Amino acid sequence: METDVNSKHIVVIGGGPGGYPAAFHAADLGMQVTLIDDAPNPGGVCLYRGCIPSKALLHAAAFINEASEIAEWGITVSKPQIDLDKLRARKEAVIAKLTGGLGQLTKQRKITYLQGRARFADPKTLTVTMSDGTTQTLTFDAAIIATGSQPIHLPFAPDSPRVLDSTTALDLADIPASMLLVGGGYIGLELGQVYASLGSRVTVVEMMPALLPGADAALVRVLAAKLKKQFEAIHLKTRVAALDETPEGIAVRFEGKHEGSETFDKILVAVGRRPDAGNVGLENTGVVVDEKGFITVDAQRRTAEPAIYAIGDVAGQPMLAHKATYEGKVAAEAIAGMKTVYDPKAIPGVVFTDPEIAWCGLTEAEAKAAGRDVKVTSFPWAASGRATTLGRSDGVTRLVLDPTDNHRVLGVGMAGPGAGELIAEGTLAIEMGAVADDLAWTIHPHPTLSETVMEAAESAMGHSIHYTR
Amino acid sequence: MSTEFKLPELGENIETIQVTRVLVSPGDSVVADQPLLEVETDKATIEVPADNAGTVDSVLVSDGDEVSVGQVMLTFTDSAAAPTAAPTAETEPEPAPDPVPPTSDIRHPTSSLLPPPSSPSPAPPTSDLRLPTSSPSPTPYNVPAAPSVRRFAREIGIDVTVVTGSGPNGRISIDDVKTHAKQRNEAPALVAAGSIATPPLPDFEKWGAVERKKMAVIRRKTAEHMSLSWGQVPHVTIFDKADITELDVLRKRYADHAVEAGGKLTMAVMVCKVVAAALKRFPQFNASIDMGTREIIYKQYVNLGVAVSTERGLVVPVIHNADQKNMVAISVEISALAQKARDGKIQLDDLEGGTFTVTNLGRICGTYFTPIINYPEVAILGIGRAQPEAIVRDGQIEMRTMLPLSLSFDHRLIDGSDGARFLGWIIDAIQEPLLLSLQG
């Protein structure tokens, strides 16, 4: 017997940027949808304690920095006064507006929203413990696990209000005089810049030889130059051997390139995130989890259990909201019986520091590691009129091109203010199979930073208008 | 609430149509099933009716536009009378595309025509949500095809990595995918027939003034279809004459029966009846060839196409199950179909599913001609003009009415002797109408 799409009941577990788009798309495809999350509204980590609140705070931080830099332009402003309660309230208002909006959209789509936590009782049944303490049993035609990820904690860190993770750091309890960032990844650096702008003396410790491990070194260099001025110290190839709470703060012992001990008012642990699939009763299903804790899925995001799908952070790297959203749409379509597949050619990554770092597709290092012959072109923003008018000549735009295939664009990377917005063109170029000529012969508005993409593409032919090597 | 009216599915393999006439304007109230537009497909002119009652908000197409299936043509404000279902249900008539193709389709990609990209089709059963062996896979990194193109290829079951891109630097467009799909279906035949590139046309204006006019859709499709048939099918045509002197007497005697029923008992109608009987006896004339699978497809039904010339061009309405209908019924149906064809009111159902075609030039002039087979049928019978002739019968010269017949057949399936036997049987049945009852 064949089942009509419209009679299918889909349950989505987790209301983050993977789960709610999956639920919305499934509802738009005509299916009956139940969305389960323990927050009052959809949004997940991204909206409640991740992307959105951190960006709200970074907006404030950027203003503080610009206010100090504008003196070079002959404009002097007094040192900004910071009302921490008001700043926190503003951030909360942003969260409330966006999550409330998602709640409305959920209602408009006639999706059943259950505030609670779900566990599989067997491969066909879920038990939901509602936030009010009651329980419900649900059966489904297909379920989507979108339970996301959690910050990794250091096992030896003391349980103290002086030890923050990304969630508590966003609570903005106070502005510590000194702060140590454990981990030089994007979450730590973004929050570190917020605290540095608000007045904390920030130190970073990173085990790897560079900040933002995995990102293109040429892009990281641009950010590192700025951070060196903004931060107290950056300790690379160094690890934290011990953390002890003292009356003065947290005493930290370093090992590696930078040896010694130092006491900080607070430390922010941002050493990564781990998939969060432990609490949904997978042991009662045939779902397979790999050694890193990610649920194993196929190209349609289907798990080893035929009626159960998994998307987002819990289903594999990269742990990014927009990747989860894409997967959510794929899973909903797969359940509807459509011929759909997880098929991105480029997933943009953005570090919302100042300057921003953004890239997509293949990096130069990845190409080299794969033994691939690529051509990399670079356009320094010092040659960009727009960057100069902004007083920001430190940026760079880089293209990774395939010289054996008409200089097809394989990767795009940028560092500089607005890189996160500009990278969308790079992602589109890769998805559309563009070659350098396509970018070089697309008129870009003048004077904008987007021209750097066009000029980097011109460089591939050996001649950029504003830059000669 | 505003609703979009999209071009619905009109039939197998119909992707675009030409709007010939828009029948409504913004502000018009329409009732369910009221014709909104007149459109021309490659086969016929048809009217597209409204789904529901409502008021026309805007008209997004105009006469002469080419429109694809699924494209929005009009927007409506639903009247209070219209059912007020959930907005998603009304604004999204988009059907779920096909389920993953069966594995047999993958093994024999040429064995069946591709389904149209968005033909409505139920989702796979819930009990079998997992189809791991035939699920589409992600495309490799460096295929120069946009996400929309990759998605389209997936939906119609084409591996985008084997499609040749016609764009700059090998860029693959949706049209490239369509062309690839079409070629895949036709490939074996093209190999058989070979192909020679069309040389460029000379500059005709060197020799005098010329006028260039755009081909009507039906003309273009006829041209394409005839080239296809001629290129693929090795035609053989044989000729003979049937003595219809006696049949014509019968025809005149019983003509009134047909007139009473609303038809016209012509010699062509009687020949159709004979042909329908002949096809039951000679099943290979009621067949098609699948060179991809090296199979012969024998059809268990006899649907007779009758070529009709109209102002808009040649159309071939089909008399379904002609073997089960008597001459009067056939005459009525031919008259009705021919009238519909000339009025441009023919429905797609009237044009599809033919198994053999009869074409009649006798009403105009001529004796013999070489009709081209209506691919994928395998034979066609041409009727010429009946003339009184001096014939030697039993050593005496007699005046008899003779009907020239021309039979073209596909030599891949039918040999000359088979063709001669088939035509011979038809002639015998025409000359001895009782044979129809005895053997037909």
Side-chain angles (χ1 to χ4, degrees), chain B residues 261-280:
Chain B
K264 192 176 170 201
L265 191 59
T266 61
M267 190 50 65
V269 167
M270 299 176 101
V271 170
C272 281
K273 178 65 195 170
V274 172
V275 166
L279 291 171
K280 296 288 277 186

Side-chain angles (χ1 to χ4, degrees), chain B residues 92-375:
Chain B
E92 300 214 358
E94 226 170 273
D98 296 4
V100 175
T103 34
S104 63
D105 209 33
I106 289 169
R107 240 176 282 133
H108 302 293
T110 48
S111 67
S112 67
L113 286 171
L114 283 167
S118 56
S119 72
S121 171
T126 12
S127 59
D128 188 18
L129 280 172
R130 181 157 56 167
L131 296 163
T133 49
S134 50
S135 292
S137 323
T139 45
Y141 192 76
N142 56 351
V143 175
S148 56
V149 176
R150 306 198 304 261
R151 190 176 169 92
F152 174 74
R154 226 163 19 239
E155 281 172 355
I156 66 167
I158 295 287
D159 175 3
V160 77
T161 59
V162 301
V163 175
T164 308
S166 64
N169 305 316
R171 163 174 290 279
I172 301 166
S173 65
I174 284 185
D175 281 343
D176 293 336
V177 176
K178 285 184 187 166
T179 305
H180 179 86
K182 209 180 275 178
Q183 279 170 355
R184 198 176 69 164
N185 285 321
E186 293 164 2
L190 282 178
V191 170
S195 60
I196 297 163
T198 311
L201 290 172
D203 176 13
F204 294 109
E205 296 192 347
K206 275 197 300 203
W207 304 293
V210 297
E211 185 194 7
R212 273 185 179 263
K213 275 177 104 168
K214 198 151 182 70
M215 275 188 197
V217 177
I218 292 184
R219 182 78 263 149
R220 190 185 75 202
K221 290 292 171 179
T222 303
E224 287 171 3
H225 193 67
M226 289 302 111
S227 299
L228 171 76
S229 182
W230 188 249
Q232 290 206 22
V233 178
H235 282 69
V236 177
T237 308
I238 60 174
F239 311 104
D240 206 339
K241 281 181 181 171
D243 183 341
I244 58 163
T245 315
E246 273 129 43
L247 191 63
D248 207 34
V249 173
L250 294 173
R251 182 182 70 80
K252 284 174 181 145
R253 186 183 303 159
Y254 296 108
D256 290 346
H257 291 251
V259 173
E260 279 166 30
K264 192 176 170 201
L265 191 59
T266 61
M267 190 50 65
V269 167
M270 299 176 101
V271 170
C272 281
K273 178 65 195 170
V274 172
V275 166
L279 291 171
K280 296 288 277 186
R281 283 192 55 92
F282 297 85
Q284 86 255 47
F285 288 81
N286 199 50
S288 287
I289 303 181
D290 187 339
M291 288 304 285
T293 57
R294 295 173 176 77
E295 287 174 330
I296 298 162
I297 302 157
Y298 293 99
K299 291 150 202 168
Q300 312 278 330
Y301 48 87
V302 174
N303 293 344
L304 217 51
V306 180
V308 176
S309 158
T310 73
E311 271 177 26
R312 295 162 199 263
L314 179 68
V315 292
V316 186
V318 174
I319 302 164
H320 292 88
N321 302 313
D323 56 321
Q324 294 162 27
K325 291 174 179 164
N326 62 36
M327 286 188 190
V328 170
I330 291 173
S331 77
V332 171
E333 204 169 324
I334 289 183
S335 299
L337 286 171
Q339 194 54 47
K340 273 165 94 176
R342 295 197 178 97
D343 293 347
K345 301 270 184 199
I346 202 112
Q347 304 289 311
L348 279 168
D349 288 350
D350 298 330
L351 300 172
E352 289 178 337
T355 59
F356 184 97
T357 299
V358 174
T359 176
N360 180 17
L361 293 184
R363 294 188 311 132
I364 304 167
C365 72
T367 53
Y368 299 114
F369 57 107
T370 58
I372 296 180
I373 295 164
N374 188 11
Y375 179 88

Side-chain angles (χ1 to χ4, degrees), chain A residues 20 39 73 84 161 170 202-203 221 266 278 302 329 337 348 413 435 469:
Chain A
Y20 81 74
W73 297 71
L84 207 53
L170 285 167
V202 175
T203 300
R221 210 174 296 135
K266 289 205 168 167
R302 198 183 286 107
K329 293 189 288 186
V435 296
R469 273 166 300 172

